[in-house]
Amino acid sequence: MTDYTSTDPIGQGIQWLGDAQNWEGVNGIPTRLVEHLGYGALTLLISLVIALPIGLYVGHTGRGRVVVVSLAAMFRALPTLGMITLFALLSTLGLMPAIWALVLLAIPPLLTGVYAGISSVDRAVVDSARSMGMTEWQILFGVEVPNGLKVMLGGFRGGVLQVLATVAVVAYLPLGGLGRYLIDGVSSNDYGQVFGGAVLIAVLAIVIDGLLALLTRFSVSPGLRVTARPTAATVGSEKTVANDTSVIGVQGGTS
């Protein structure tokens, strides 16, 4: 335990983060960080396997929209800690009860993001692709997914942040992760540890959000990011058409 010289929780948190012994061993910050990311990655993998095909199907066909929206709203309202406790009681203590509870939290933003991304594609573009003889699979992955990728990545980004911020509750079972510092700190009245753990979780979420923002920026096709500007020839032709129209209008009025 860190020997604090400050009585302020913020000062104690800074001292806790600066204590070298908190960065070493099986209970050190690097180990807890890897555990935290591992829990989040497993949750997102399972959630994507469930949400991605459903979202693609609903977005492409338009079937089941009401069901998707209703289920997403219902899952968002579920208390994560309560679901972890319920799954633990129904099965056994371990990793998977907590993971399944987090999956229920991660599915709504992922599912709605995929569905909204596919649905946001201009139907005229889709109809044009279909009239060219493209199959439904070619339309989905060659037209709808590239055009709706930005919205889809936005849903993925929201799901990742929710999982990383909430995965700390798995320490309640008890398991590892950065949430271990919150649970242990509260039980031992070590508020420096609590503050330090909260800062680590917040910084991790900010860093991951920044990386996902860069991923979103560079994953979207440049043709979909750049707004077309009118060329000089286009502007000149528009002025010519406007002048011709005005002349015709004048001639028609004097005849």
Side-chain angles (χ1 to χ4, degrees), residues 242-255:
N243 292 334
D244 292 344
T245 304
S246 62
V247 170
I248 293 173
V250 172
Q251 292 176 347
T254 56
S255 59

Side-chain angles (χ1 to χ4, degrees), residues 46-88:
I46 297 175
S47 301
L48 283 173
V49 170
I50 298 173
L52 186 58
I54 297 176
L56 291 175
Y57 174 79
V58 174
H60 179 69
T61 63
R63 300 171 183 172
R65 295 180 182 179
V66 177
V67 176
V68 167
V69 173
S70 301
L71 288 178
M74 182 183 70
F75 285 163
R76 288 179 189 273
L78 294 176
T80 305
L81 184 58
M83 296 306 298
I84 289 178
T85 305
L86 176 62
F87 282 127

